Amino acid sequence: MSGLGGLNKSPNGVVIGLVQLQLPNVVTKEDLAAQTEKIVAMVSKARRNMGTMDLVVFPEYALHGLSMDTNPEIMCTLDGPEVAAFKQACAENHIWGCFSIMELNHGGMPYNSGIVIDDTGELRLYYRKLHPWVPVEPWEPGDIGIPVIDGPKGCKLALIICHDGMFPEMARECAYKGAEVMIRTAGYTAPIRDSWRFTNQSNAFCNLMVTANVCMSGSDGTFDSMGEGMIVNFDGTIMAHGTSGRPDEIITAEVRPDLVREARANWGVENNIYQLGHRGFVAVDGGAGDCPYTFMRDLVAGQYQLPWEDEIKVTDGTGEGFDKPTRRYQPSETMEAAE
């Protein structure tokens, strides 16, 4: 049940709108300002479109487009005019909003960041993409972990970005930290369509968690984004799906975080997020709580290496026109505290 796309809202429901935003061309500061105005207008459209909507979600690259331009003049900051405009739009329309910015980084390449603003205009969630889409994206790898907040109507809410969702560990981390609804924003184009669909469903089912997922839409003259707004229930069933890919269409559904909580407490079969840490509890009291996975132990020890590591050909972005990096990654104190 999606409440007819959220038109019929239940007392425990959270109505989500996914904006399949037209893919823009943003080159100058003036372009950035114009695209900011477009997004603000779409926040107002979302509110007019559906008075029951609690949260409107914009895709990755909604503000900057897919050029991968790292020009500092069009990079954003949390205290800059673009974020201020988004805050005002959420407050004026009494709606939560999820937005994408390419964030200025004085210490290196920009961050690909996502923010969630509440219906009073307060910044509630701030996330930096952990897994840039290599070798195509030049963004600095995220360093602040995956925050989980109390979202609309108290639902536990997390945000990941695009390629993040191809790593099952990302969705599991969101669920492990309590997320009942996971947003996934993206700029993906048509070759990723099938992978997009089945990972959105598997991320939901494997973690008993609603996933709300949306890409940019339309063409910028070079790239063709696919839209594909998808809201997937915690059992993996698709509740709403923007299959037309129509630019600026808003895909909506009501989701039920209370039923997520009920399933997590009551499911025996396929309660995988619990069973991962309680293997074989029918045979042994409480189940096995060890870590039998070599890749996990090696990653924690800084020794992650594939058996075919020496055969891998693409290990930097030079094939996409980027310079080979010269500095090593150093986790920030914030990331270490999150861990």
Side-chain angles (χ1 to χ4, degrees):
M1 292 290 291
S2 69
L4 290 182
L7 289 171
N8 295 306
K9 188 174 180 180
S10 63
N12 294 316
V14 175
V15 177
I16 299 174
L18 306 174
V19 182
Q20 297 181 158
L21 194 70
Q22 169 64 50
L23 179 59
N25 274 306
V26 175
V27 178
T28 67
K29 293 174 67 174
E30 291 74 22
D31 294 337
L32 186 67
Q35 187 62 13
T36 301
E37 291 180 5
K38 166 71 181 287
I39 293 171
V40 166
M42 289 297 294
V43 174
S44 296
K45 174 187 174 181
R47 170 50 70 228
R48 295 193 309 272
N49 174 270
M50 187 169 289
T52 57
M53 194 181 299
D54 295 293
L55 170 65
V56 59
V57 179
F58 289 86
E60 179 194 32
Y61 293 116
L63 190 54
H64 288 87
L66 289 176
S67 69
M68 306 301 156
D69 190 349
T70 60
N71 178 5
E73 289 193 356
I74 59 170
M75 296 298 101
C76 297
T77 61
L78 292 181
D79 59 357
E82 299 81 19
V83 173
F86 299 156
K87 288 180 176 180
Q88 183 176 352
C90 288
E92 289 180 351
N93 289 282
H94 308 291
I95 194 168
W96 287 65
C98 176
F99 305 94
S100 167
I101 63 171
M102 300 304 120
E103 182 192 358
L104 184 67
N105 174 20
H106 294 291
M109 299 297 275
Y111 292 104
N112 181 337
S113 300
I115 57 175
V116 173
I117 296 167
D118 71 16
D119 55 358
T120 70
E122 293 297 316
L123 181 67
R124 296 290 299 275
L125 184 151
Y126 166 49
Y127 168 68
R128 291 171 171 170
K129 188 176 184 178
L130 282 179
H131 293 276
W133 194 40
V134 294
V136 177
E137 291 183 333
W139 316 122
E140 190 82 3
D143 61 352
I144 55 175
I146 307 174
V148 175
I149 64 164
D150 291 332
K153 302 188 70 174
C155 74
K156 299 294 183 182
L157 186 69
L159 166 65
I160 65 173
I161 300 175
C162 200
H163 189 49
D164 285 338
M166 299 301 184
F167 298 87
E169 296 82 4
M170 291 290 296
R172 178 121 310 161
E173 174 77 354
C174 293
Y176 185 73
K177 295 178 75 172
E180 298 153 352
V181 178
M182 184 187 79
I183 301 168
R184 182 188 185 188
T185 62
Y188 274 139
T189 55
I192 309 298
R193 191 184 308 275
D194 286 344
S195 305
W196 169 256
R197 291 176 176 178
F198 62 66
T199 53
N200 291 336
Q201 291 183 266
S202 65
N203 286 337
F205 172 72
C206 292
N207 297 288
L208 294 182
M209 177 173 64
V210 170
T211 67
N213 320 271
V214 67
C215 299
M216 297 296 295
S217 188
S219 177
D220 63 1
T222 300
F223 301 106
D224 297 301
S225 287
M226 61 187 186
E228 288 282 336
M230 289 181 67
I231 298 175
V232 184
N233 209 3
F234 60 86
D235 61 357
T237 58
I238 298 172
M239 304 176 71
H241 192 179
T243 54
S244 73
R246 181 165 63 85
D248 293 345
E249 182 178 5
I250 303 176
I251 309 303
T252 63
E254 178 192 68
V255 302
R256 294 285 301 276
D258 60 315
L259 296 183
V260 171
R261 293 189 286 272
E262 181 179 293
R264 287 176 170 178
N266 291 285
W267 277 28
V269 174
E270 300 295 341
N271 192 340
N272 299 308
I273 183 63
Y274 173 78
Q275 292 163 5
L276 178 68
H278 301 82
R279 297 185 300 114
F281 62 65
V282 175
V284 293
D285 185 25
D290 59 344
C291 180
Y293 308 105
T294 305
F295 84 93
M296 288 186 182
R297 298 196 300 267
D298 286 353
L299 190 61
V300 169
Q303 299 172 353
Y304 185 92
Q305 182 165 334
L306 299 170
W308 59 93
E309 188 114 359
D310 293 340
E311 301 171 21
I312 295 175
K313 302 297 189 295
V314 180
T315 59
D316 58 38
T318 53
E320 299 293 327
F322 300 110
D323 294 335
K324 184 177 176 61
T326 57
R327 60 189 175 85
R328 303 286 292 182
Y329 175 72
Q330 294 293 331
S332 69
E333 293 181 1
T334 306
M335 174 69 97
E336 291 170 350
E339 293 172 348

